[in-house]
Amino acid sequence: MYKLTEVKCRLHTGGKTVDEIRERYTGQGLTYRNFESLQRAFDLFDGQEINLYRKEDGGAPTYYVAAWPKANGKIMDGVFEAEQTHPKPLYKGEREKFLADWLNGKYNARMAFEFPAEDVEELEVVQEVTEPEQKPPATKPRWRQLKEKRERRRKGRGKA
């Protein structure tokens, strides 16, 4: 069992150079233009308040977006810039489509937005969410039941 904590935070992501961003995201197949889009996104996110999930797994905590504030224009613009770097973009150069989905509540990031601890200032804990341990199902999967039934039938035929 692990615990996620939802925290209201202020982001401090601005002022990074393309080289600093490139160093952080090395090996992810991003182009120079992608790094420029991320730089614009981080500059727009800078100083914004947003609810994030804090996840701790031994080392420094990492933060993931709990929900995007729909009414915040800077956050919306930053997310659009980040969308330009998506490996399978739905909104590549299609700002009107993005705006329509964002404002209608249909936007789905299709990727996790992660912020390192050095970019996040915690303001207050909103809630703690405990994820229950995965329990094995009470019944066997259907394929397992059928396999065992066939084996029982084969054994029954051999005795006759």
Side-chain angles (χ1 to χ4, degrees):
M1 181 166 21
Y2 64 92
K3 226 188 301 187
L4 288 177
T5 306
E6 185 174 347
V7 184
K8 184 175 184 175
C9 301
R10 180 172 293 118
L11 298 175
H12 298 285
T13 56
K16 292 178 177 36
T17 66
V18 169
D19 289 334
E20 290 172 326
I21 295 168
R22 180 185 296 150
E23 186 177 313
R24 180 182 284 181
Y25 295 102
T26 298
Q28 295 192 17
L30 299 173
T31 65
Y32 191 83
R33 287 187 187 223
N34 293 147
F35 294 126
E36 289 176 330
S37 287
L38 286 175
Q39 183 183 35
R40 287 189 296 273
F42 291 154
D43 285 344
L44 288 163
F45 291 152
D46 191 48
Q48 301 301 308
E49 291 183 8
I50 186 171
N51 285 8
L52 302 173
Y53 288 123
R54 177 181 63 216
K55 184 177 179 187
E56 300 178 54
D57 27 336
T62 52
Y63 295 84
Y64 300 91
V65 175
W68 294 111
K70 300 295 182 205
N72 187 320
K74 279 193 164 192
I75 293 278
M76 179 185 65
D77 291 339
V79 171
F80 177 75
E81 286 294 336
E83 271 292 333
Q84 305 309 299
T85 68
H86 198 284
K88 295 181 182 174
L90 285 179
Y91 304 104
K92 189 80 167 186
E94 295 190 41
R95 187 165 180 76
E96 293 77 25
K97 180 180 175 186
F98 172 80
L99 288 173
D101 286 352
W102 180 275
L103 296 173
N104 290 324
K106 294 180 182 178
Y107 173 72
N108 178 359
R110 302 173 296 121
M111 60 183 168
F113 277 77
E114 178 184 323
F115 296 99
E118 65 262 14
D119 289 351
V120 176
E121 173 189 354
E122 291 188 14
L123 301 175
E124 67 179 276
V125 172
V126 176
Q127 68 176 343
E128 288 190 8
V129 181
T130 303
E131 294 291 325
E133 289 182 26
Q134 293 286 336
K135 294 182 181 178
T139 61
K140 295 178 182 175
R142 184 75 178 139
W143 67 270
R144 174 67 71 189
Q145 292 173 4
L146 293 173
K147 184 177 179 181
E148 289 175 355
K149 185 176 181 179
R150 278 188 225 116
E151 289 173 1
R152 286 192 307 272
R153 284 185 177 168
R154 282 187 200 123
K155 288 179 184 179
R157 285 186 218 150
K159 292 181 182 179

